[in-house]
Every structure is written in C-alpha cells, then in structure tokens.
C-alpha cells in the first residue's frame, strides 16, 4: 500500500539547507518524494518555492515523515483543521497529542491559522474557543487578537486540566523555523554553526555588549542566568556593577549562587581573610553553611538587606534596584535559603515566566539552570552561553535555539571585560 | 594577648600526613606551636603520639585554629563537655553552631564521649538526653547503646525544631578522619590520591567486581546512582542484568534516567527503529515526552509494569526484584513522571535514607545526583565514581570521601565488562 | 565593473547540502548569482543539474569565489586548461599556486582531465608531461594510465624542485567532494555529522570490527596510529594480540609509545611490581629512561628482539610478524630510541607512505600522530578516531575526512572489546 | 638476609610532608625503618632532624629504597664518593647510570660535594676532573668555582661521548627538593597544590604581572612559550605589545604559531576580511599555506621583516627588538618555514638553552611545546601555565615543578588583561 500527501516549502529554502534536510528526512525515514513544482530563487533576494508529493508504505510512516517535515517548516498543501481531543483527566493528555518545538507555530482552528502563544518546546497545545459569556476574554482589549478568535497556547504536561482541548496528530499545524540570517546578520549571524575556543574573545565581548545596549535602548528585557563559578572566579563585583547600572532586568540562579554571593559579603573580610587572594579558606564549608543559617535567621535575603546585614554584591543590587530574581532549588543544595523555591515544578513555572519575558538571555557558567531556562525559551530569543567548559556550551547550543551564541571563555575575565565595555 | 590550648594527636600521624597538616594549619592561620611531647612510632606498626601547645593572639583566632585541628583528628587535651544551646525557632540554629564533617565524630556529653549517629557533612549536631519517661527510649533494646545514655545525631538545617539542643563551639568534639590504608589496603588502597584516565581499565573493573561480590556476600547494601548516559551509551541492558541477578540493593536517579530507560522499552522497537544502531531518531524528543505521558496516564512505573506495558529494562527489574528506587526531580525535567519527587528537600530526605543504608555506592555518569548522594555519605562508605569526563570524577572525589575510587571511562563499555565479571 | 563566469553543479546536490553551500559561498563573499538552468532530481535516485552565472565586482573577488565553489564540487563551464608555471627554485612555488584539498581532484592538461595521483591536502600540484625519451615513464607498465599521458601529482612545499611545473590559479581544476552516503551507508554512513559520547559503545565496536574484517578479507591495509595511553590504560596486550593475529598491516606512533611498550616488557615484572595493578611505580621515570638506554645499547628494537631481550608486546609482534612501523620523533621525547626518526620532514615522508597505502586507519589516543597521519590521508580513506577526550576526536574529524567515525571511549576497554569481537 | 643503611633527613620535614613521604616510601617498597634519633622542630622556625636505619631483605631492594629516599631529600649518613664509570661508546651509558631529577643536586667527588650544573630531569651526570694542563679550565675565571675543582653536569643520553665519566648507583648523591614556602610565600606560594578554574582570575593576573615586573627589574629572563591559539583567540596584538615594551626576553614556539602570526599580518586585511570579526575565512587553509610559501620565497622571517613585507605582530616585534626565538618543528607542520628547526634533537638543544637561561616561564596554550620546555627546566624556575583546558594545565604541573602556577582561563582575555596590568 502506498499512501501520499502533498507538502509545500517556501523561502530561502536552498541556501538555508531546509530543502536538503527535507529531502533527507523523506529518504532517511523510508519514504519517496516527487517534486511537482520547483521555482528557484534566481538571485539572493528571491525566495524559492517547492511543492512535492511524499509517498510512504503506510499511514503510520507517512504521518511520521510529515511530522518531521513539519518541524523543518514544510506545510501540508490543502490544509485541514487541527484535530482536537479533550484531556481525559488532570495531568494526562490524549495519546496522540502534538508535542511542540520551540519555533513559532500556527494551528488551524475553524479554518483560521492561529498563532500559538508563549511557544516553548515539549509542551501540549491547548485550544480555547471563546464564547460570548467567557469572562476571561470579555475584557480582552488586546488589539492584536480578535476577542472572538480562538486562542492556542502551550501547557506543560503537569498543568493540563481535565477537559482541555489538546491538539493531536500533525494535521493543521504549521511551524516556522527561523531562517539563517543572510550576510549582514551582525553578531548573531556570523557566529552560528559551532562553538569554539578559538575566537577573538575581545571582539566577541564587544559584540555582546552592543547587543545588550541595543536591547536596553529598546526597552527590552535582559535576563542573566548565574552559576556559583561567577563568585569563585572573581566576576561577582562586575556583575553587581551591571545590575546597579541597569543593564540587567532579571536574574535566574540556584541556591548555591546566592549563598556564595552572600557569603562573600558576610564573611569576605570579617575573619581577616583577603577575599581577593584566597577564595577557599579551608574549603569554606563553614562559612557557606553559616551564611545560610544567618539568612534563615533573618527571614530571607530582602530582610537581610533591610537590616543592613547584606550591603553589597549581586543579590543586594537586585533588591536595591528592583531586579526580580528566581532562586530554583536542587537536590545538591545546602540549606536552602528561605528564598529558594524547592519544588521543581513551581520553580519551572517561575523560570518559564522569566524566560518568556526575556529578549536577551546571558547564560553564565551553569549547566543546570541554563538548560532549565533554555527549555522555556522561544527559538527567537537571543541567547549567549558562556562557560569555560566547551561541553557545556555545546550541550546548550544543541538544544536548538537558532539565535544562540556560544563562547568558551573564563567567566572571571569575561564579566569584568563586559562591564568595561558597557560602563565605560 | 596570647592565648593557648593543648591538643593531642595519636596514630600513624606522620606517614598519613596528619601531623604535617596540623603543623601547617597552625602556621597558615597565624598561630604558633610548641611540641611538648613527641613519641615517634619507630617502625611501621607503632603509632606516634604528639602533644603540643597551640598559641594564638586572640580567643577568636585560637578557636578557628582549634576547629581546623579538630577536623584533622586532633583533640583538645583535658576535654570539657560540648556546649549546647537550644534552637530559637524552627529551621534556625544558634549563631555559633558546630557544622559537621563526614568523618566519624564523638561529642562529649555529661563527661561521656557519645558517637554521632548517621554522621553526614554540613549538618547541625543535636543532643538528646533521655529521661525515664521518654517513651521513645523506653522500648529501646539496641544492645549497642545504654538506653539511659544521651544520643547525638545530625539534622540538616531545615529540619531543626525549636528547642532542639544544638552543639555550638569546638569544645568537646572529637573527629576521627579515616587513616590512609597501609600497604595491602587492597583495591581501595592503591588508587587513592588522584584520578586518572591512564589506568589499566580491565583490572580496575575486576577490583570493583570483587568489591561488589564481597559486599553482596556480607549481606551489605550496594547503591547505584544512575545518569541518562547509561541508556544512551548502551549500558542499560547490562545494568538491568545486574539488578536481576541481585547485585544491586538500591537505585538513585533522576526523572531523566527513568524516562530514557522506559522510552527504550516503549519505543525502542515499536516504530521499527533498531535501538542498537540509532539512539537519536531525530533527537527523540517526541518519544521522550510521549513516554512521560504514557506512564502518567497509567499512574506510574509500577502500574505500567503491572499492566505489562513495561516489560524490560532497569526500572522494570527494580520493580520485579523489589529493589527500592528514588527518582529525584530537577528543574530541567520534562514531565515529570508521577514517581518523581519534585520537592528538593523531600527528595534529599529520601536520598539521605538510601545513602545512610549503603555499604558501597556506584556513581555512574551523573554529576547532580552523585553530588546529592555524596553529600549524605559518611566518609567510611566505599564509593566508586565512573564518568567519561575527568572533571566530574575530580569534583566528586574532592568532596572528601577517603574511601572513594574514581574511574574515567566509557560507561557504555564499563557496565557490560562489569556484568561479565560478575555474572560469568 | 562587474565580471562573471558560468559554473555547473551536478549530482545529489540538494540533499547533500552542496547546492545550499554554493549559494552561501557566493553571497558570503559578496557576489551575486543567477540560476540559468535548474533541473531538479525528482526522486531519490535522480541527480540534479544546476547551471548558474556568478557575478563579482572585480576579477580578484570572482577568482576567490570560484576557488571556493570549486572546492564544493562546482566546475567552471566551458573549461580551459590549467595554468602551469615553473617553480623558481627548490622549495619555492609560484605566487599563485593552487593548494590542494584532500578530495579526488582532476586537472585539465592539454585538453584532457587528468586525475591527481596521491591526493593530499595543502600540497602543490605538479604536472609532468611525458616525452618519449623520459626514462622514468618509458618503463611504465601501469595498465591504468597511458604512458604518453601527462601525470599530475602532489608535492609538499619543501619537496618542490626548481623547474617543476606547478598548477596556479583556479582554471582547469575539478574537485569531487565525496557525497553523503544515502540510507544504507552502513556503519560509515549513520555516524556522520558529529561526535558523541552518547552512543551505544558495544554496537559501535562491533561495526568497527566488521569493517576491519572486511578490509582484511579484501587484502586491504589496516593502519593503527598509537598513543602511549594504550599502554597506561591496559590496552597493550589486546593490541599485541591483534597484530599477531594478522589484523594490522602497519603501525604509526611516536617514541613514547614504543618506549612505554618496551618498558612493560623489560621492567613490568623484573622488580616484582605487578603491572596489572600499579602502572606508575613512583612515576616510572627511571624505568622509562633505562629502557631507552637499554635499547640504545643493543642498537635498536629489532636487535633487542633478536637477542631475546624483548619477547612480548606490540613492538615485538610487529617485528615477529613483519608489520612495518614508523616511529616519528617529537621535541618532548626522552632519548630517543635509535628507531625513532628525529627529523620531522623525514618522518612526514615515512608517514605519508603509510597513509597513502592504508584502506582503514584506526587512530588510538594520540592527537599529534593522528593529525600527522590525517594530513596525508585522502578523504576517501575510512578512518576511526578513538579517544576519551571529545576535543581530540572533534579536532580530528574537523580536518575534513567525510569517511571518518569518531568514538569517545576508554581505550583501555575499547581495544580488549575489539579484540574479543575479532578473535572470538 | 637483612641489609641496612642509615639515612638522615633535616629541615621542615614534617610540615612539608617529606618525613611522611619517606616513611611511606620505605613501607611501600617492602622495607622497614627504625628511627634512631628524632629532634622535632618545636616551633615554626625550628628545623627537624631525623636519623633512621632502613632495612631491606636484599641489596637490590635496599638500593631501590635508597634511590627513592634520595629523591625525597634524604641523604645516606657517612657518605662515600659517587661511583663513576666510563661510557662504553657514543650515546650509550653504563647499565646502572643515575638518572637525574630536576631538583638541585650535589655529587660527592674526591670527598667534596660538587653542585651539578644545569640540572634537568632524566639526564646522565657527567663528572669532569680538571687537570692543570686542561686548556678548557685553564682560562676559567669564574669566581664561584675553584678551577681545580671537579665539575659535574648533565648530558642527555644522545649527547654522551665515549669515555665520559658517568655517575652510577645511588652513592654520593644528594638531592634538595624545594621546600614548600611558608606563609608569606607570595603569589608563588598560595597557589600551589592543584589547578582550578574557580579562582579569582583578575587578581591572579595581577600577581603574574607583578612577578614579571620583578624579574624584569632584576635583569632576569622571561621566556614565553606560545601556541597558535594565541592568534585565533585574539591575544596576538597584546603579546606583540609586551614584546615591544621589553617584558619578554625569549620566545619558544612551533612552526604553527609563527605561521598563524605571519598570516594575520600578510592576509589579515589584504583580501578585505576584517580579522577582528572573522578569523576562519573558509578555514583559511589557503592563507596558511600561502604564508609559508611567501616566507620561504623571501628566505625566512627576518628577511621578510627586512624587506618590509612583515611589519607587525609577535614575530616582527621579536626581530625588531632582538628577542631571540626558537621555532621547533613537529610532524603535523605544514611547510615548514625556513626558520623552523625540523630535527627534534637539534630543536631540544635550542629549547634547552632557552630553558636554562630563563627565570620565569609563561606557557601559553600549547601542550607540546610546554612539555618540551618543562622537560629542560630546573624545579626552581618559576613557571606559569595558562590554558583553557584544565587537563593541559594539570599535565604540565604534574611534571614536577614545585614553583609552578596553573591557570585555567581564556588566553584571548588573559593576554590583553596582562598587557593592561603591565603597560598601564
């Protein structure tokens, strides 16, 4: 039995590699293709159009192939509405539910292509058809969207409620992967396609500073994701300077980062130890745990700032400058601090909110928190991953953002040089 | 002002380096020492005794020095009882509380040295004096301990209750760091002092197999800590064999490991993909999230085994062979599975129980979970850390267990070779 | 001023990505393109043909673009003969000489496309027109080549002689990069496009064993490139077994590998040290240098074998089984052994001969020697790079062989498992 | 049979760990010890004295133990002259020759302790007794040494001449390993005992700058060992600045570093490519090999500078400022440049001369050349190893210099920050 379906591709599909990948997908998955129409973009500003029939030996295989083509940006010609099915109970989705990518996605509902809100990878798609009586949409004055239109948005699995209309199958879904920027893509163009420690570091830092300036100037949101190595390696003061100067709009970190930052403040000099020269006074375990105890006694970081106990550092500047932060807990935490969100689902929700709001994300020397933030990012959000370990950077970039820069460098020299670029 | 205190050291303190480290501690921290008595062990079976007076220029500095000496195994001569102070409120400890190491520790209460139960690093020490009416101790038939004796045990900070008697200061505390094994220390002797990928791998695996055999034979408890790379790299079937054959007594992992293991079972062959040759069918994101959804629908892993949906793999063998497991959640989890403990404090408590029960811990390709388990281990528990990344192994060994072996190798060849050693 | 030239592309140029890369090259380098003819392969067995005009604003830029297109496999339509220029003196090439890739290359001489002999990257191309009186070609009985035809072959720069006819410019040169294997490419197909430590190791080793078997069966040549870690990690005996069993046809290594191998034989047990358990008896520096001194005294490895001083190990098996080896010197060598070639140009020439003869190359835990061998390999030679450090594997694969497999694993478990696959 | 010998230890042998290591050596190697006298240093400025009898069950074992004790700084009580034996032929040493460490070493000749000249590890010791008629010593006006005294110096094995008097056995040799600096050791004190990427980078760079300043001020010699990553990562201009400002007294590198440096100069802008933003114009292979060809045509780097073809960069500044350089060849070189020493023994000799002259060595992002230089360094020469790969730094520090600092950082940010510290 041979079954088939016609799909269309449009755009800079040759030089972006999309077309080659689509042909590859079909062949790799055991299908065949017949190109029905092919109109090549004859020069660099012209787009290319391709319509092809995809053949497979079973409906199941055809569906699998169409799913992959869909994720490359191909759309089924002669589209039908997406299939919807109600969730059978809380936290449980229908068997064949569509699992999202992080690319801009559209779902066809009642003959209309609806853009998915807050796109994020590995979620279910929920369709909400408005009714005149729906109190939630009655007040909706969002000019972008007709209040009578259906809405489509993402939900993580554990947030699905019984009865939610969940998109299933592959029909009626259109994905738009970002196109590779042409020449002139700026700093976010030339560095794609790999990570390397063999790059001119100073000029890369300059590019990143310019990007931050631009986002700042446009009223955008800069989110930093911070690991404890920032404190060990001596980048803490420079980061505090950036927060104080208003370059940072949100901070995402773990219990460890905050404790290290506060410990520098509380014990950095009180025992006569010169923090500049000796960061591990006998491993510092005592100071670490004492810091947690001290902050717990006071009732949290903000209270410690209010009482004047904490009077410098990154967390201090966040509180003084109203920069919101999320401290997400993990099983390796000591303490934790009262500010740390210990439940991972609750912490993910807080991170999700940060991520969706961000226009530029700086991931600084933390794998766990960077992956957690990255999981919630649309692929259109500009992202910079900085770590001295190339494996960390590769792992982050591999997760699929087409707008990510990786930089393998020493965070202890990176942040001071970035500060100098931005504050001079 | 000069203040002083006399301390004693006893044992193989020269060749173990203890004495040198103690002298170094005093000098590095600005103190002076006068050796009052020194009786050297004149041959290799004789122990050495040293009594020295430690001088410092302030009580505060003296206390800091004594704290460090204490952690090296020195005890204050002419000991006094430990100082106790009641916790002012839940989760808050007295300012000068004693923060534990992971070495066997004794606390002097009412003139008697009491061994700390369930020693673990970075905890507070709680003293509980029994009273005749105490219903908890009345039934106590534990032969090792006089039911009228005081008890001393560890509590993590967040578990401290208001009124708990917490040990403060350095007085009346004795720490016994493990001595470096002499020649003939066996496999856990010769490999100390560093990690290397330049070791004869096959013979190291043989040593580890022998160690497992010995623990098994003595009715001991073998705990495996598992990362997802076990599944990617092809070590899963061999690990399942080890569980089935009864070599493993507990499993500690994250949501990701369990999902990868179950995904292999559910989707490994159902879509015609040969799992042996191709483990990343287009990144497998779809299968990953579908697996979570499927298990959630069924109500958990055990339910999925009961219904026959899951019928092979590591999790399957755990359930079939009554091997208890802990799945600890993290902020990078998809899902998670219903079995995953999402609150990090709750997860730590479950891990703590596993860790305290274990006689041998195999940490297999996971940094996060290995650190979490390692945090709860006494330094006397034998530990094997296996990872292809030397940085991971170093980081784990650095956390202080004197009984740890590190091995930098490929988990995908390690587990099959270990299985062959154990099951042949 | 706008200048232009027409180029042609043919083959599976869409799904291999070639066409996209060519379009990208033109745009990235500031040129324009106009597609004049485009005949798409309509199904997976059909080839695609594209003819396009490339425009640039100067002859210099056009030449640079054509050079890059050429390296992607595009050929200039309406070809002309290659430009030839005599080398002005020994070791000096004409200014605009053509520097080779490692892909199969053809040069147009006297209207005829001549295949380049012994293609290798970063060389000059020398054209030799035969004359009846040329004594070198008079005896030529090579059936593949008409003795009156011109020859084109590679020379490294330092080997160029005054008067050699060197190919310059881009005209008359055709490069054929290997096509990405279609589905069914076998073990050398599915693993392309990246290195990972997340692969099922055992099945990968099986694939490599099969590949060796096949090359052995076809009378092909298997070359191993060996680093000292083979000896440290316990893989030496298994490698010696493979040599003895006839699976290896050549060995390329450095002074260090040979010394470590011989040291195991000479001192492994003579001082009562069990080599299985303790490979660094006090760093072994003494044994290392004593081994060199002993072999030097005897006059070399072969003499040491003849006198019965060396009677096991990899070098021993090479000599006993007439497996030729090259030991290339480096500035970090101790000694070196009399067998080590200390001049790097002379050593490169010896390596070049090995590389050109090989049908399958196993690069085992050595960056320096693997790069040196890799530099001399045609891109059509199958290559397996094994190292525990992912950076080493990536660096080797990046050097451009389209037929390379990378495997991040422990050489101390890899070689024994490979031996078991091959010898069982 | 039990044999014995008495040895003495003196100095800060407890807190430096020496005494513990000596006891360990005896036990690990199967011997026994009896402490005959032990006078402990009772406070931190007092030295400790220990005399012990070492027992073993054979002369051979006793000798092996004494050899190890000797390398830890123990000396045989009641010393005898060193044993000397003539080398039987060129490049061949007597069977039992003494192989050097890199610590200051003294040899007892004719009842007199003679300091070894140019100490270096893994060499033979040659004794030269002066005779009145010896023309070499007749002119000797070196005030430090009586011209009638014997000389002892090192020779690498391949440089030994027939008839050279070579030291054999362990008798009459005294080694002085450097003592661990006490508190106040300055920057070269506090960082010993490990490598970490978790250090405050900026303050470490400041320490290194101060060290360079001090060596410069005292007329000392600063040697830089350079890898190609300096150029890729953008550190080249800053390094050229340091050479021009007179902070560098010698440069040691390979062919690759020089070619990359020159390529930047020759092709950096000539093709309109902005070297600041794009360092890999299509991998740059063409420029690389063209650079070699161009320099070869001109006859070498100095000629290229003289003709004005090369007018900036590190090699240019070396020539303009008379900073001597050694370019050592390797088997992975392209070309090589005419300046590159292709024979590894000849190159080692050139490196040896640089190393012996140096007072401070900066090893910058090269494993091969750093190991080669390190092999020739006395353990008293201050050394800084900088690399982004922790494994490289560890490997270099492990080779035994007690005066080495390791820093895991990005060379592309390190050199500019070092330049700013030194030149501001």
């Amino acid at each position: 039995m041979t079954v088939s379906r016609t799909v269309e591709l449009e755009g800079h599909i040759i030089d972006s590699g999309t077309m080659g990948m689509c042909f590859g997908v079909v062949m790799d998955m055991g299908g065949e293709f017949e190109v029905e129409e092919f109109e090549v973009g004859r020069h660099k500003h012209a787009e290319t159009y391709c319509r092809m029939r995809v053949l497979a030996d079973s409906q199941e295989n055809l569906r699998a192939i169409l799913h992959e083509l869909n994720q490359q940006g191909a759309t089924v010609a002669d589209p039908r509405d997406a299939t919807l099915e109600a969730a059978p109970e809380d936290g449980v989705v229908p068997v064949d539910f569509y699992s999202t990518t992080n690319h801009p996605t559209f779902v066809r509902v009642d003959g209309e292509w609806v853009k998915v809100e807050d796109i994020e990878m590995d979620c279910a798609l929920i369709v909400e058809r408005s009714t005149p009586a729906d109190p939630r949409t009655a007040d909706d004055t969002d000019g972008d969207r007709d209040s009578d239109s259906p809405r489509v948005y993402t939900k993580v699995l554990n947030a699905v409620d019984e009865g939610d209309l969940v998109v299933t199958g592959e029909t009626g879904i259109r994905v738009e992967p970002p196109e590779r920027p042409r020449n002139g893509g700026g700093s976010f163009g030339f560095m794609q396609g790999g990570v390397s420690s063999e790059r001119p570091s100073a000029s890369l830092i300059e590019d990143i500073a310019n990007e931050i300036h631009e986002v700042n100037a446009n009223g955008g949101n800069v989110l930093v994701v911070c690991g404890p190595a920032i404190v060990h390696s001596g980048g803490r003061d420079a980061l505090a300077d950036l927060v104080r100067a208003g370059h940072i709009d949100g901070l995402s970190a773990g219990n460890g980062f905050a404790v290290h930052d506060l410990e520098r403040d509380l014990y950095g000099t009180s025992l006569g130890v010169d923090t500049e020269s000796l960061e591990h006074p006998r491993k510092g375990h005592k100071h670490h745990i004492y810091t947690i105890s001290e902050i717990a006694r006071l009732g949290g970081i903000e209270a410690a700032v209010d009482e004047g106990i904490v009077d410098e550092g990154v967390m201090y500047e966040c509180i003084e400058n109203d920069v919101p932060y999320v401290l997400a807990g993990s099983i390796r935490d000591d303490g934790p601090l009262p500010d740390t969100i210990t439940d991972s689902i609750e912490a993910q929700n807080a991170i999700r909110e940060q991520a969706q709001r961000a226009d530029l994300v700086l991931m600084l020397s933390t794998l766990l928190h960077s992956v957690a933030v990255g999981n919630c990012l649309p692929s259109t959000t500009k992202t910079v991953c900085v770590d001295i370990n190339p494996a960390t950077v590769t792992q982050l970039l591999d997760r699929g953002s087409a707008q990510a820069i990786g930089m393998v460098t020493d965070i202890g020299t990176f942040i001071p040089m970035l500060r100098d670029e931005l504050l001079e």
Side-chain angles (χ1 to χ4, degrees), chain A:
Chain A
M1 184 187 89
T2 298
V3 291
S4 73
R5 197 82 189 267
T6 297
V7 300
E8 295 171 308
L9 281 155
E10 208 160 356
H12 296 288
I13 57 178
I14 294 180
D15 58 292
S16 67
T18 302
M19 189 164 168
M21 284 173 75
C22 286
F23 285 10
V25 160
V26 176
M27 291 184 295
D28 288 355
M29 298 179 79
E32 301 273 333
F33 60 86
E34 286 166 13
V35 175
E36 295 180 343
E37 195 180 333
F38 191 91
E39 190 66 31
V40 75
R42 299 207 177 269
H43 47 79
K44 77 174 175 182
H45 301 300
E47 300 202 335
T48 293
Y49 171 79
C50 172
R51 191 177 70 239
M52 67 175 172
R53 176 164 293 272
V54 178
L55 306 96
D57 54 9
S58 73
Q59 280 296 353
E60 192 186 3
N61 286 352
L62 182 60
R63 256 217 344 245
I65 294 172
L66 292 177
H67 174 81
E68 287 302 331
L69 290 178
N70 175 286
Q71 306 217 345
Q72 301 299 336
T75 38
V76 171
D78 177 26
R80 282 166 285 182
D81 274 4
T83 320
L84 306 182
E85 204 173 320
E89 50 185 295
D90 284 3
V92 175
V93 288
V95 175
D96 194 32
F97 80 101
Y98 177 87
S99 172
T100 55
T101 68
N102 63 357
H103 301 307
T105 301
F106 298 80
V107 176
R108 202 167 182 274
V109 186
D110 304 335
E112 185 186 347
W113 284 106
V114 182
K115 184 169 185 177
V116 174
E117 302 170 25
D118 291 342
I119 188 69
E120 176 186 330
M121 66 170 80
D122 297 335
C123 290
L125 288 174
I126 309 298
V127 173
E128 198 176 298
R129 285 201 185 83
S130 62
T131 58
D134 187 336
R136 259 180 309 179
T137 57
D139 295 344
D140 192 337
T141 56
D142 181 345
D144 289 353
R145 192 167 54 76
D146 179 354
S147 67
D148 289 342
S149 296
R151 294 175 56 202
V152 187
Y153 48 85
T154 54
K155 271 197 179 179
V156 290
L157 265 55
N158 64 60
V160 170
D161 295 314
E162 185 181 332
D164 273 352
L165 282 183
V166 179
V167 177
T168 59
E170 312 294 333
T171 308
I173 300 163
R174 203 173 75 224
V175 173
E176 294 186 352
E179 281 190 3
R180 195 175 74 105
R182 300 271 165 157
N183 47 334
S187 50
F188 278 82
F190 79 86
M191 284 166 299
Q192 291 172 357
V195 185
S196 170
S197 57
E198 294 192 349
R199 273 175 185 153
S201 309
S203 62
L204 203 45
I205 292 173
E206 209 181 304
D207 285 335
I208 295 168
N210 289 340
E211 199 67 41
I212 294 174
H213 258 315
E214 203 183 305
V215 174
N216 290 158
N218 294 334
N221 183 295
V222 177
L223 174 67
V224 285
V225 187
C226 302
I230 291 172
V231 184
H232 301 315
S233 66
R236 171 194 183 240
D237 293 348
L239 181 57
D241 291 348
L242 291 179
V243 175
R244 188 169 50 245
H247 291 289
I248 309 297
D249 305 290
L251 181 142
S252 200
N255 186 67
F257 171 77
V259 176
H260 285 298
D261 176 61
L262 297 164
E263 179 187 335
R264 266 286 150 100
D265 187 20
L266 293 181
Y267 293 97
T269 59
S270 64
L271 289 181
V273 179
D274 176 358
T275 41
E276 279 312 292
S277 62
L278 180 58
E279 85 288 1
H280 279 319
R282 307 255 149 210
K283 304 257 167 200
H285 276 317
K286 191 170 159 169
H287 293 166
H288 189 76
I289 202 87
Y290 275 30
T291 299
I292 294 168
S293 164
E294 185 71 15
I295 302 293
R297 178 174 305 112
L298 296 165
I301 301 172
E302 187 153 4
V305 170
D306 287 350
E307 298 200 19
I309 306 293
V310 166
D311 60 4
E312 56 146 52
V314 178
M315 297 314 300
Y316 170 81
E317 296 295 349
C318 284
I319 284 166
E320 288 294 296
N321 296 282
D322 289 323
V323 172
Y325 56 85
V326 169
L327 300 181
S330 103
I331 53 171
R332 72 180 147 193
D333 290 344
D334 287 313
L337 296 170
D339 304 69
T340 300
I341 306 174
T342 61
D343 185 78
S344 55
I345 292 178
E346 210 182 307
Q348 281 182 341
N349 287 336
I351 288 169
R352 177 164 295 118
E353 224 182 290
Q354 293 190 305
Q356 291 287 349
R357 212 184 301 130
D359 298 293
L360 176 64
V361 180
L362 303 180
M363 297 172 168
L364 306 178
S365 284
T366 164
L367 182 57
L368 178 62
H369 295 272
S370 297
V371 169
V373 172
N375 281 346
C376 304
L377 282 180
S379 68
T380 45
T381 304
K382 288 172 175 177
T383 306
V384 178
C385 313
V386 182
D387 204 291
I388 203 158
N389 184 345
T392 299
V393 178
T394 305
Q395 201 169 335
L396 290 171
L397 294 196
D398 275 359
R399 300 185 75 82
S401 172
Q403 304 283 1
I405 294 178
M407 185 172 176
V408 177
T409 190
D410 175 1
I411 200 75
T413 54
F414 172 85
I415 306 183
M417 287 178 80
L418 183 68
R419 187 242 335 251
D420 291 352
E421 282 291 336
L422 279 166
L423 300 191
E424 256 163 17

